Amino acid sequence: MKSFKSLLYGTALWTVLLFLLVGCTDRMVLGETSVSKLIKALTVEEKAQLLEVHWNETGTALEISGIERFGIPDISFEPFYGLDDGVLASLGRSRNEKLAYDCGKALVIEQPESVTAADAVFLDFSNFPLLSCAGDSQKTESALKLTSAIVHGMADAACPVAVLIQPDDTTSLRNVFERRIMKIASCYDETQVAELLRWGVTTIRTSKGKATDAVCNAIDEGKLDMTTIDRHVVDVLEFMLMTMSESQKANDAAIGDSIHLSSLILECHRQGTVLLKNDGVLPLNKEDGRIALYGLAAYSENVDLDAALKERSFTFEPSVMTAYSKAVRDGDVRIERKPFQLRADAISSAVAVIVAGNYPGETELIEEICRAFHFKQRKVVLIMTDQTSFEVSDLDEEPDAVIYTQAIGVECGRILSELFFF
């Protein structure tokens, strides 16, 4: 009997211990177990695996492979395509960091489907128009600040976001992004992995398995200590927790339309419209007389300046308007005005306004307009857009005022008409 009781007690004890062991194992799951406990339970190889980013099988998104035994999921990053190049170009000229931040935030709040289709999004620095087209160092610094503002705006609107950088970018990006923004460095030389992680890059993008091996080797060789590794793994796990909870918050916050985002985009174009030159011609006054409005682009849907000026009760030189309206209607790509016609235009008009596009013979016509109007002591305003194919310095006869803006549709004309009254 005593032996039986001992066996019974022993079996019960092992059952309790097994239950506790199974219970503890079940609780070791990301989202239920603290990150600090998971860090202690992960092997070196598993930690190294969490610091590797690679392309998925289709090459359309970046991925981090999860650890199934701890409920750590795979995580995917899709490229950021939230703002088109024209908007970014206008935003770059505005240099308005608050506007950039608001755009980033609105992208998530009002259009979550465009930025949360994957677990997270990544912004590729080497191909991001604000940075790749910046030019000199001063513009690059401004573009970096604007880019950072967009990224942090998205993050504040509950969108997990990463930046993909090249090893050479690490110096310029020091202290630009908070720890919650994952920094992924593309690395083609495995000997650089330890240096990049010590610098502060969160994860390394390589071919699948390469970064994992490089991290393990660096640890074995003493080039990386576990304190550094654990710090990065903590950032990765906390980022994963964001992807598990924030995407739903972003969807819950959506208001179902894009009115606010559209207004911000329009404001980007408005602030990105630049007055490059003004020799006593702007602002215009409708009481001064007619406008001779030249340029096929002025009457096209890409600018529609004629309609915008009509809304402000400006009057136009009728023969110029008739000629260009007919050309646009007939699909002509070239229009000619004889010298005597231009002289007559200058006599009957107070000012010439030219919208330059990319049409044959446009440069020569602009020079002839400038000569005819200057001969009659009239002023000339030249409007250049991203469609314009020449520089002002290419002209032998320069206009009195020069404006640069994006060709963004009917709103472009309204923005320009506002500038005429600044």
Side-chain angles (χ1 to χ4, degrees), residues 201-342:
V201 167
T202 318
T203 53
I204 306 295
R205 186 194 74 78
T206 59
S207 300
K208 192 169 184 178
K210 294 291 186 181
T212 301
D213 293 341
V215 170
C216 290
N217 291 337
I219 293 171
D220 292 340
E221 296 168 5
K223 295 178 181 178
L224 279 173
D225 58 72
M226 290 309 300
T227 301
T228 300
I229 295 298
D230 287 351
R231 183 175 69 251
H232 291 303
V233 175
V234 167
D235 289 343
V236 171
L237 292 177
E238 290 182 346
F239 190 89
M240 286 180 167
L241 287 171
M242 281 196 295
T243 69
M244 295 163 64
S245 60
E246 299 290 27
S247 59
Q248 185 58 48
K249 287 168 59 179
N251 282 302
D252 291 343
I255 61 174
D257 62 30
S258 57
I259 295 174
H260 182 51
L261 179 59
S262 297
S263 67
L264 288 172
I265 289 174
L266 181 59
E267 187 60 25
C268 288
H269 288 306
R270 181 176 286 110
Q271 294 192 23
T273 298
V274 182
L275 183 60
L276 300 176
K277 176 182 177 182
N278 186 19
D279 186 13
V281 55
L282 296 175
L284 298 178
N285 189 335
K286 61 187 176 184
E287 306 301 330
D288 291 339
R290 293 172 173 169
I291 292 176
L293 184 60
Y294 299 93
L296 290 167
Y299 299 86
S300 72
E301 293 180 357
N302 285 338
V303 177
D304 216 7
L305 182 57
D306 59 329
L309 290 173
K310 282 180 181 177
E311 288 179 2
R312 293 183 175 272
S313 302
F314 273 91
T315 56
F316 299 91
E317 207 294 320
S319 64
V320 175
M321 172 168 275
T322 299
Y324 276 98
S325 297
K326 182 178 184 300
V328 170
R329 185 174 61 251
D330 295 344
D332 295 337
V333 296
R334 186 184 182 104
I335 188 169
E336 295 184 3
R337 295 288 285 174
K338 304 292 186 183
F340 75 89
Q341 291 176 308
L342 294 175

Side-chain angles (χ1 to χ4, degrees), residues 55-76:
W55 288 104
N56 63 6
E57 293 181 358
T58 60
T60 56
L62 294 174
E63 286 184 340
I64 296 177
S65 297
I67 311 296
E68 186 176 352
R69 73 187 184 105
F70 291 120
I72 299 174
D74 296 344
I75 179 173
S76 63

Side-chain angles (χ1 to χ4, degrees), residues 91-101 142 146 149 267 271:
L91 184 58
R93 288 191 297 273
S94 77
R95 300 193 176 189
N96 188 329
E97 294 174 42
K98 176 62 166 58
L99 182 58
Y101 174 87
S142 174
L146 291 169
E267 187 60 25
Q271 294 192 23

